[in-house]
Amino acid sequence: MNAYETNKAVVRSRPRPQPRKRGSWLILAALAMLAFVSWAAHDAYPIERAVPLRWFKEVQPVTQLNPAVAAGRDKLVAQSAKLGIDVVITDGFRSMAEQDALYRQGRGDGGAVVTQAKGGESYHNYGLAIDFALRTPAGKVIWDMQYDGNRNGKPDWLEVVAIAKKLGFSWGGDWKSFRDYPHLQMDFGYSIQDLQNGWRPPTQTG
């Protein structure tokens, strides 16, 4: 047997690769789906939000505060006033363009960095957040967290935060990184990704 015939015999003797069974992929897909369902159930995450709503319908842009957030804002101002604290709402709904301009501050534009969120990455862009400050009797708007204008031995700022939390707001001062002390939000269990995908709290479903 010459070298050519020997090589042919070696090639013929090698086992042919077996085609992958389709069933194995189906099993892997089923296991992945089971893992996702288990994760969603554990975290009480609504499974339907895993699919972007904008795939199936046109989602109207948000242009104002969520009614529940607006009502909470008004109650916050009124209840703080009863304690002798004058609360000023410095921001509410913020458009994507306004958010992008704010993000450029301290980066491409002058000033200090005030946000880590670009347009579409802030709860302000979906009408679910407000910012506040305090006003002194002289009419000066301040962001002093130690100021005790009502002279009860407690910082007015933290008194406002306590009222806000009772009304259902969460506070940016509790964030683990880049704490945003003037920031209050009601997310209703919706993540930024949910909102980007077109899902809205019931009062904002487009």
Side-chain angles (χ1 to χ4, degrees):
M1 182 181 292
N2 57 36
Y4 173 75
E5 291 174 333
T6 301
N7 289 336
K8 286 180 64 178
V10 170
V11 170
R12 284 197 300 269
S13 66
R14 290 176 181 169
R16 294 182 179 179
Q18 297 295 320
R20 294 183 178 179
K21 295 182 180 180
R22 185 179 180 185
S24 62
W25 287 104
L26 292 176
I27 292 173
L28 288 174
L31 289 173
M33 180 60 71
L34 180 61
F36 172 78
V37 171
S38 298
W39 166 79
H42 177 72
D43 287 357
Y45 183 82
I47 295 177
E48 67 273 10
R49 284 195 224 151
V51 179
L53 180 63
R54 51 187 168 76
W55 286 3
F56 306 101
K57 61 178 293 187
E58 182 179 356
V59 179
Q60 297 299 318
V62 179
T63 59
Q64 60 186 4
L65 279 181
N66 177 289
V69 178
R73 171 201 61 194
D74 295 342
K75 291 178 181 178
L76 178 66
V77 172
Q79 292 183 26
S80 298
K82 292 180 179 179
L83 296 179
I85 302 172
D86 189 359
V87 170
V88 179
I89 303 301
T90 59
D91 209 350
F93 167 75
R94 189 185 299 150
S95 70
M96 304 292 184
E98 290 170 333
Q99 186 69 41
D100 283 333
L102 200 62
Y103 181 81
R104 289 194 300 271
Q105 184 174 324
R107 295 180 174 89
D109 297 345
V113 172
V114 294
T115 182
Q116 296 293 330
K118 298 179 181 179
E121 297 176 352
S122 169
Y123 282 99
H124 283 283
N125 306 148
Y126 305 97
L128 301 178
I130 60 175
D131 292 339
F132 77 96
L134 305 175
R135 182 159 39 213
T136 68
K140 183 179 180 181
V141 176
I142 61 174
W143 287 262
D144 184 349
M145 292 183 61
Q146 302 304 318
Y147 176 73
D148 182 18
N150 61 4
R151 300 179 182 277
N152 64 353
K154 303 175 184 177
D156 290 0
W157 195 279
L158 297 183
E159 289 187 89
V160 174
V161 169
I163 294 171
K165 289 182 176 181
K166 290 180 180 179
L167 292 172
F169 286 100
S170 58
W171 181 40
D174 289 329
W175 295 348
K176 293 182 178 179
S177 61
F178 200 84
R179 292 175 178 171
D180 190 350
Y181 296 103
H183 182 91
L184 300 169
Q185 71 184 42
M186 291 184 183
D187 57 43
F188 303 98
Y190 286 71
S191 68
I192 287 295
Q193 184 175 357
D194 291 336
L195 298 167
Q196 290 173 334
N197 285 339
W199 294 101
R200 302 285 183 269
T203 52
Q204 285 192 333
T205 299

